[in-house]
Amino acid sequence: MMKAIINAKIYTEDKVIHNGYIEFNDKIVAIGEGEYSGEAETIDAHGNMLLPGFIDIHIHGGYGADAMDATHESLDMLTQGLLKEGTTSFLPTTMTESIPRVTNALESIATFESQGAEILGIHLEGPFISEHKVGAQDPKFVIRPTTTLINQLQQAAHNNIKIITIAPEVEGALDVIQHFDDIIFSAGHTTATFDELNNAQSKGLKHITHLYNAATPFTHRAPGAFGAAWLNDNLTTECIIDGVHSHPAAVDIAYRLKGRDRFIVITDAMRAKGLGDGVSELGGQQVYVNGNEARLKDGTLAGSVLKMNEGLKHFMQYTGESMEHAWRVMSYNQAVALKVDDRIGSIKVGKQADFVLLNEEFNVLCTVKRGYNIYNK
């Protein structure tokens, strides 16, 4: 059934359409400016902003669910909840836990058919990380990578592993980075030096996991992982923009250095997102949520409770970027990295009908997924 969103401020790939309309079924059929005269069922945007649906490539959970629960019921809770924040596609992200538990989670995700936000694949965060930079991961499950083990995990995931967070300096890391062309290897939870990270990029490393967290910092004599992330144009860089994980100025610096095409907003959210303050869980460890912070008992940050629409608001506040360009760090750059930009990540005729309608306060008024799953506030 054809539908149309009318009276919208539409951010397309190449321009902003004021007082525009967009006609769609499961895909975008037409985009225009001015009064809509078609016969489709209409949704009045009342002049609010229409953006492509957000894509979160690093998220453990939210709304009471976690990818490591390894149940379809939990995944359904998460995929439905994400529509409330404008996220239409995502990569459920696993934790550094036992291989049997990780395998169960991979199999559950791979066999789940979402009726909410679309699962584009899986982000494997660990267990191939540094025991010296575990963050909120459990160090007893840290192991070294091998091609055999990654093949086993990929088989359990039905070839749906798209990103693996890895410490490129650990034994075996460079071997697997060079071996798998179909996986995005991302440096994170790492003690890699500036030179080690750049060398890993030359071997096939493509991405940086949650910049500024659980990696070697920048100093003027040892630029570290952060310096390599800033300066290496072949590395895309994700960042948790909740005002807790990184200072606003640090976000601004990263964006200025990475540019519009290589910067990606993520949430790294955990189970407690959307549930308010209280005690929650991440990777088998208790997490205490207070306001916009989620921490282990010892004070270590344990993911976030950030929503993508809030991440966009913070990003624009911290960088001063306009919406004309800001939407790209929420969807387009992710789609390009995952090689799905032919069908999602921007508003263009022929692409999938994935939208989010925001007001000036960045509140989600409506989310459309594949044209038929419509969340209205």
Side-chain angles (χ1 to χ4, degrees), residues 193-210:
T193 65
F194 178 83
D195 289 337
E196 285 173 330
L197 201 62
N198 282 317
N199 179 56
Q201 184 278 311
S202 73
K203 306 294 185 185
L205 187 81
K206 293 184 173 67
H207 190 64
I208 301 292
T209 294
H210 48 46

Side-chain angles (χ1 to χ4, degrees), residues 211-253:
L211 181 66
Y212 300 131
N213 302 111
T216 44
F218 170 90
T219 70
H220 62 296
R221 290 195 178 93
F226 299 169
W230 287 337
L231 294 179
N232 194 315
D233 289 341
N234 294 311
L235 292 170
T236 52
T237 300
E238 63 180 43
C239 197
I240 310 164
I241 308 184
D242 59 356
V244 177
H245 281 78
S246 298
H247 189 282
V251 174
D252 192 18
I253 289 168

Side-chain angles (χ1 to χ4, degrees), residues 290-307:
N290 183 16
N292 62 345
E293 297 185 18
R295 296 182 182 270
L296 301 181
K297 190 174 183 179
D298 65 3
T300 301
L301 283 170
S304 84
V305 289
L306 180 67
K307 299 173 182 176

Side-chain angles (χ1 to χ4, degrees), residues 95-144:
M95 291 283 291
T96 297
E97 293 198 33
S98 70
I99 292 301
R101 279 212 66 194
V102 172
T103 299
N104 287 340
L106 297 177
E107 290 175 341
S108 176
I109 296 166
T111 56
F112 175 69
E113 294 185 9
S114 176
Q115 299 301 309
E118 179 182 357
I119 293 176
L120 298 175
I122 298 165
H123 183 157
L124 195 73
E125 189 179 13
F128 313 121
I129 59 175
S130 170
E131 58 270 29
H132 305 294
K133 286 285 186 180
V134 290
Q137 312 263 7
D138 194 330
K140 71 182 179 185
F141 296 120
V142 171
I143 57 176
R144 297 299 179 245

